Amino acid sequence: MTNLSNKISGQNNASNNSMLESERSAAQLVIEEWKRPAHGTQYFAALSASMGAMAVGAAIGYSSPASAAFRYDNTTEVITDNSTFGNLYLSKEARGWFAGSLSIGALLGCMLAGLCINNIGRKGTMLVSVVPLLSGWILIGLAQNLSMLVIGRILCGLCTGISSLVVPTYTTEFASKDIRGALGTGFQLFITVGILYAYIFGWAMDSWRLLTVVCGALGFVFLLMAAFLKESPHYLLSKGKEMQARQSMQYFRGKSYDIQQEMEELKKSLKDSSDVKVTLSDLSTPYILKPLLITLALMVFQQLAGVNAVIYNINIIFQDSGSQLSDDMSTIVVGVVQVLATAASTLLIDRAGRKLLLSLSAGVMSFSISELFYPNVKEAAGSLATTINWTCVFIVTFTFEPLQGAIHDYGVYWLFGSISALNFIFCLAFVPETKGKTLQETTAYFGGPPS
């Protein structure tokens, strides 16, 4: 009996211990959940903001199937048949203006974006950017001459330039540290998705006017989704609206998450930034100038390698190539490759390192160069880099067909390929690896203050 009682007692103790362990595990899960920010609201906000990138991508990709659909006349710049929905006849020079004019608008948009995001907020800027986008699509869809096409493309370009600044800014400001890298790459990914979207519907539709409706519809989707976004806590706090900033932060992190530490860090970051006012003259400081020159060189190499000239004219390129695969299908294949490559770089960026990805492809450049800047000069340096980037886009896009006439198709692609090779060598020789390094360590690498 004694042995039986001891056995029963031991079983009860084991059972009690097991229950205690279960209770501790449950309590631990509650604590971990309390410490871990929610991701659902962040993913929704990133998706909503990235719809702006998809709308921009559709505007970029649109020129390729549309240019191929314009009837070509070798002697006359533009001829209309006096029908509201008639075809347009564009010369090569006119098609160059049609494709390249988006870059003019993007350049102007970059200049306006800085003023907008600091005065009407990140959400307000995204909503406002839809106005020129939809106006541009309407003008293109009803176009009777080159002027209407170009003005419409410039208006779409305004949204492109504004979105290229406000969407990544907004995303990085609300994203928690554990998923900031992944969400930050969403802008570039959705641009390639938007380009593919335009390519697919360009293949499916005979009318470039109907294609404007399909591409323009993304602007409405972006408008509806952006209307439900919460303003960035960073922006709200910078305007002295601490209560609204806390509410915004709590929304993005989840009801059970303690935001106090993150709010204190954000306050300190804003104070540090306000204490040090940076001007363009400060960019000449050696530890700022070195990464700036590297960034500008990367921007120039990327665009002079002809990537946007190819994207804007890819249908025509495949028409002239004599490929057995149809030009529309070839274009879609290129679009799919772009999406897959960008998605792969999203997964690899924190594993393979920034320098390796830069060396392999200039297309992932936007994920790494910002990490070279000292925090207080990111805005000034970024604005300069973006301006030079879109200037180069316009030059390359506008001169693409004249270059083909001057040095033939093979000469243009040899030129682009040579520039890409120089870019590869430049990345290996001068671009430092930032993987696993803090901003302070990166700054110290260039001779700046360690903290």
Side-chain angles (χ1 to χ4, degrees), residues 217-409:
L218 292 178
F220 282 106
V221 176
F222 175 45
L223 179 63
L224 291 174
M225 296 185 73
F228 293 97
L229 291 174
K230 293 284 187 181
E231 182 55 89
S232 156
H234 183 284
Y235 170 76
L236 292 170
L237 193 59
S238 70
K239 296 300 181 180
K241 301 177 180 179
E242 183 170 346
M243 183 60 69
Q244 292 94 320
R246 285 183 173 276
Q247 291 172 350
S248 175
M249 182 74 78
Q250 198 71 68
Y251 167 80
F252 287 118
R253 298 296 179 266
K255 294 180 180 180
S256 61
Y257 183 78
D258 185 2
I259 64 170
Q260 185 58 37
Q261 182 179 347
E262 193 168 356
M263 285 298 297
E264 293 301 323
E265 291 175 354
L266 181 55
K267 286 181 183 178
K268 184 179 184 302
S269 175
L270 287 171
K271 185 179 183 302
D272 292 342
S273 297
S274 64
D275 289 342
V276 182
K277 298 295 183 181
V278 178
T279 63
L280 287 177
S281 61
D282 296 317
L283 298 181
S284 61
T285 306
Y287 71 88
I288 297 174
L289 182 62
K290 290 178 184 177
L292 176 61
L293 291 177
I294 290 175
T295 300
L296 296 182
L298 289 172
M299 289 287 188
V300 172
F301 275 130
Q302 179 195 27
Q303 298 307 335
L304 295 187
V307 59
N308 279 290
V310 172
I311 290 173
Y312 288 178
N313 299 282
I314 197 165
N315 277 73
I316 297 173
I317 290 172
F318 280 114
Q319 280 181 358
D320 297 338
S321 69
S323 171
Q324 293 184 350
L325 193 63
S326 71
D327 54 288
D328 284 322
M329 189 55 62
S330 300
T331 298
I332 292 173
V333 169
V334 172
V336 170
V337 170
Q338 276 193 307
V339 172
L340 294 178
T342 307
S345 65
T346 301
L347 300 175
L348 292 173
I349 187 169
D350 288 323
R351 295 177 173 85
R354 281 67 163 161
K355 182 172 181 175
L356 176 60
L357 292 179
L358 276 170
S359 301
L360 294 176
S361 171
V364 297
M365 187 175 304
S366 59
F367 305 148
S368 307
I369 54 181
S370 64
E371 296 185 13
L372 301 182
F373 292 138
Y374 194 62
N376 289 325
V377 302
K378 278 190 176 183
E379 185 174 343
S383 298
L384 180 59
T386 305
T387 300
I388 291 179
N389 179 70
W390 282 110
T391 301
C392 290
V393 172
F394 173 74
I395 292 172
V396 171
T397 306
F398 184 70
T399 60
F400 178 66
E401 293 208 41
L403 276 175
Q404 287 180 306
I407 60 177
H408 305 292
D409 290 353

Side-chain angles (χ1 to χ4, degrees), residues 415-432:
L415 175 62
F416 289 161
S418 300
I419 294 173
S420 296
L422 289 175
N423 189 13
F424 175 78
I425 296 171
F426 179 83
C427 288
L428 291 178
F430 297 105
V431 179

Side-chain angles (χ1 to χ4, degrees), residues 110-134:
C110 290
M111 298 176 182
L112 291 174
L115 296 174
C116 292
I117 63 174
N118 290 322
N119 288 285
I120 62 175
R122 283 52 166 163
K123 176 182 176 179
T125 301
M126 284 188 279
L127 293 175
V128 167
S129 70
V130 180
V131 176
L133 177 67
L134 296 180

